[in-house]
Amino acid sequence: MHDFLKNQYQFSDYQIAQLQYLLKTFSSEFSKLLIMGFIFRNQMGVYFFAVTIMLLLRTATGGLHCKKYISCFLVSFTYMFLSLNVLPLISINKVFQLILLFFCMIGNYFIGPVTSVVSRLCVSSCSAFSFRWLHAVLPVPMPAMLFLSSCLRHSCFQLS
């Protein structure tokens, strides 16, 4: 395949390595999502919501980077298991949830984005602020807006 891409399309070694990384990443992530989808097939609606939140966080902060597929799968599975089966059993006041969300937004701003050892992110110090703002802070309010609209429909906040 390497020689075919090099001869037929005049790809450089770097471009071929990028394609290999892309294929490896997509196949790894897709297989993990399929396996976890099969495991959580009885909770498919909530599973898709948890995957959406996980993808927002992974694209915003870079996510945890494990060196082996099995450790990456176990981290993702632990997140899904906690999100779908354990955390819903813990009742937390809605206002306290918003306070926690705010602290998570601040944490995402200062921590994210985390880059992989394999793919380093090169941003200048000038654009680092805008990158952090667009990718680490703005995606977090999306679940908050969903939460607030749900609360307003179900009158979570009792105004007197």
Side-chain angles (χ1 to χ4, degrees):
M1 182 61 120
H2 184 271
D3 292 332
F4 173 76
L5 290 173
K6 201 165 198 158
N7 295 333
Q8 185 71 22
Y9 298 106
Q10 287 79 38
F11 280 6
S12 68
D13 289 334
Y14 179 71
Q15 290 171 321
I16 294 171
Q18 284 180 316
L19 280 174
Q20 288 173 339
Y21 177 76
L22 179 74
L23 290 173
K24 186 188 302 184
T25 302
F26 274 122
S27 61
S28 168
E29 295 299 318
F30 188 68
S31 67
K32 283 189 297 190
L33 290 175
L34 280 178
I35 293 168
M36 286 188 297
F38 179 75
I39 293 170
F40 298 113
R41 66 185 174 276
N42 295 332
Q43 302 167 301
M44 197 55 73
V46 183
Y47 171 72
F48 282 132
F49 184 74
V51 167
T52 303
I53 300 299
M54 184 175 72
L55 290 175
L56 285 173
L57 289 173
R58 293 237 7 224
T59 57
T61 62
L64 294 173
H65 296 288
C66 303
K67 293 185 179 183
K68 302 285 184 193
Y69 176 83
I70 190 67
S71 57
C72 188
F73 174 77
L74 290 174
V75 168
S76 298
F77 178 78
T78 303
Y79 163 79
M80 285 296 171
F81 182 77
L82 289 173
S83 297
L84 299 178
N85 296 323
V86 176
L87 294 177
L89 301 175
I90 303 170
S91 62
I92 299 176
N93 183 343
K94 300 297 180 190
V95 175
F96 187 63
Q97 287 180 7
L98 287 175
I99 293 168
L100 285 175
L101 179 68
F102 177 72
F103 284 114
C104 288
M105 289 170 59
I106 291 172
N108 272 346
Y109 176 76
F110 287 108
I111 295 170
V114 177
T115 57
S116 169
V117 176
V118 178
S119 63
R120 292 277 179 208
L121 179 66
C122 298
V123 291
S124 68
S125 60
C126 179
S127 67
F129 173 78
S130 62
F131 184 85
R132 280 184 170 173
W133 181 253
L134 288 173
H135 291 90
V137 175
L138 286 181
V140 177
M142 295 169 132
M145 287 186 276
L146 291 171
F147 163 76
L148 284 175
S149 66
S150 141
C151 273
L152 292 175
R153 276 184 271 139
H154 295 93
S155 65
C156 292
F157 302 110
Q158 297 296 327
L159 301 174
S160 43

